[in-house]
Amino acid sequence: MKKILAVAILFGALSINAQEKKKEETKDGWNKEGNISFLFNQSAFNNWLAGGVNNISGTLSLNYDFNYTKNDWTWDNKLIASYGLTKIKKEELQKTDDRLELNSLVGKKASKYWYYSAFLNFKTQMSSTDVDGIQTSHFFSPAYFQLGPGMLWKKSDKLKVNFAPATSKLILVHSHLTDLGSAFGVDQGESSRYELGASISGYYKAEIMKNVSIENILNLYSNYLEDAQNVDIDYTLNIVMKVNKYLSANLSMQAIYDDNAFQGFQTKEVFGLGINYGF
């Protein structure tokens, strides 16, 4: 509960700050915004007595929003994709990032900032992962689906929270991944896991100072059918510090807590000089 409270306080503070700003005008029709970035890191050593290993790495990312508004209807969509590789001297090429996620949220206005809503979330990866010669995951294995009705509070495309008290969650894996034990929360010998619970998802994006933008994506989920007190957490923080139109320093951090998959927090951080193209 302490972990959930800390995240909630952080997101609440950001929301209060945003409410003090002038309301954004929303026009009917499509509002599209996206960014493609390539992060590059490289280290080289030659007769360096302190030690070090030559390495090179790169991560290609896509973050694309395509939202639609018409009268009392709103339909928000976000596509996130990233893939990274690293090469350390005398070692094989290794994967450092692999993410493919689609979020879709539709709402019908109820009053002012409130909407009756329904949402879909899909997550998977794009390539296989091998550990000591054993394949531990691949495309669509695992694949995560969440779907449910609820209520959406939306101040603008950059500030919204969705509450879905009856959310179905489905986890799919290839059967060979559970031959020797459970995998990604799916029991041994099975290829899927179904859950029914409550979901809360929040989104906040702002420019905190000139040429520095911050994006927060928070998803909470509680499974009514098993250990409802153990809330799953998926939090992503993206910070972009622009140098000019095409160059920026990018920081991306993700923290996941899912006790069915792993007893503890899973964390990922990617930082580097980015080549960006906005559209």
Side-chain angles (χ1 to χ4, degrees):
M1 287 299 293
K2 291 182 179 179
K3 296 188 289 286
I4 302 169
L5 182 61
V7 175
I9 291 173
L10 172 62
F11 208 87
L14 293 173
S15 299
I16 292 171
N17 178 64
Q19 290 213 43
E20 294 175 351
K21 298 183 179 180
K22 184 178 179 180
K23 179 184 176 182
E24 297 182 14
E25 293 294 331
T26 302
K27 297 181 179 179
D28 284 354
W30 285 101
N31 180 24
K32 304 175 184 178
E33 182 180 12
N35 183 73
I36 297 175
S37 65
F38 178 71
L39 297 183
F40 176 78
N41 295 278
Q42 186 261 342
S43 298
F45 304 88
N46 185 26
N47 299 322
W48 191 254
L49 298 182
V53 180
N54 294 353
N55 64 86
I56 185 172
S57 64
T59 301
L60 182 64
S61 301
L62 168 68
N63 192 331
Y64 183 50
D65 294 279
F66 48 110
N67 302 332
Y68 183 78
T69 302
K70 183 67 173 179
N71 298 326
D72 290 341
W73 288 91
T74 180
W75 182 26
D76 298 346
N77 302 277
K78 175 180 278 290
L79 176 64
I80 301 173
S82 60
Y83 194 81
L85 294 170
T86 185
K87 179 66 173 70
I88 300 175
K89 187 177 181 181
K90 297 182 181 179
E91 294 187 11
E92 295 183 357
L93 202 65
Q94 298 180 40
K95 182 171 65 173
T96 57
D97 197 7
D98 190 355
R99 181 182 184 186
L100 180 61
E101 180 172 354
L102 174 65
N103 290 284
S104 187
L105 174 64
V106 62
K108 174 70 167 64
K109 180 168 285 190
S111 62
K112 200 173 183 180
Y113 300 134
W114 286 98
Y115 296 78
Y116 305 108
S117 67
F119 85 102
L120 169 69
N121 172 264
F122 165 70
K123 294 188 292 187
T124 188
Q125 61 186 57
M126 292 175 277
S127 68
S128 62
T129 302
D130 296 329
V131 178
D132 298 327
I134 300 176
Q135 189 177 72
T136 59
S137 62
H138 51 79
F139 176 69
F140 216 79
S141 184
Y144 301 87
F145 295 88
Q146 285 192 41
L147 174 68
M151 291 295 295
L152 166 67
W153 182 88
K154 181 178 179 181
K155 182 73 176 292
S156 70
D157 284 346
K158 296 182 179 181
L159 178 60
K160 50 196 168 186
V161 181
N162 188 65
F163 305 88
T167 297
S168 292
K169 181 178 180 180
L170 180 65
I171 306 172
L172 300 177
V173 299
H174 195 282
S175 58
H176 73 83
L177 296 182
T178 61
D179 285 342
L180 302 178
S182 62
F184 305 100
V186 179
D187 293 336
Q188 183 175 358
E190 302 292 332
S191 59
S192 65
R193 174 186 173 90
Y194 175 77
E195 299 179 0
L196 176 66
S199 170
I200 299 176
S201 58
Y203 180 81
Y204 175 64
K205 182 178 181 180
E207 187 173 9
I208 57 177
M209 62 181 66
K210 186 177 180 181
N211 295 328
V212 179
S213 65
I214 181 171
E215 181 182 51
N216 297 270
I217 305 170
L218 173 65
N219 293 285
L220 306 175
Y221 182 80
S222 173
N223 179 20
Y224 297 145
L225 306 180
E226 181 182 332
D227 297 326
Q229 74 279 5
N230 295 342
V231 177
D232 295 345
I233 302 172
D234 188 343
Y235 174 69
T236 300
L237 170 68
N238 296 313
I239 300 176
V240 178
M241 295 162 279
K242 292 183 179 180
V243 178
N244 56 37
K245 184 177 180 180
Y246 297 110
L247 294 177
S248 69
N250 294 8
L251 171 65
S252 177
M253 299 177 63
Q254 185 177 14
I256 296 175
Y257 179 82
D258 183 350
D259 65 317
N260 292 312
F262 178 74
Q263 295 294 323
F265 269 98
Q266 306 171 61
T267 60
K268 179 183 68 177
E269 180 262 326
V270 180
F271 178 76
L273 179 65
I275 300 173
N276 296 276
Y277 175 72
F279 58 94

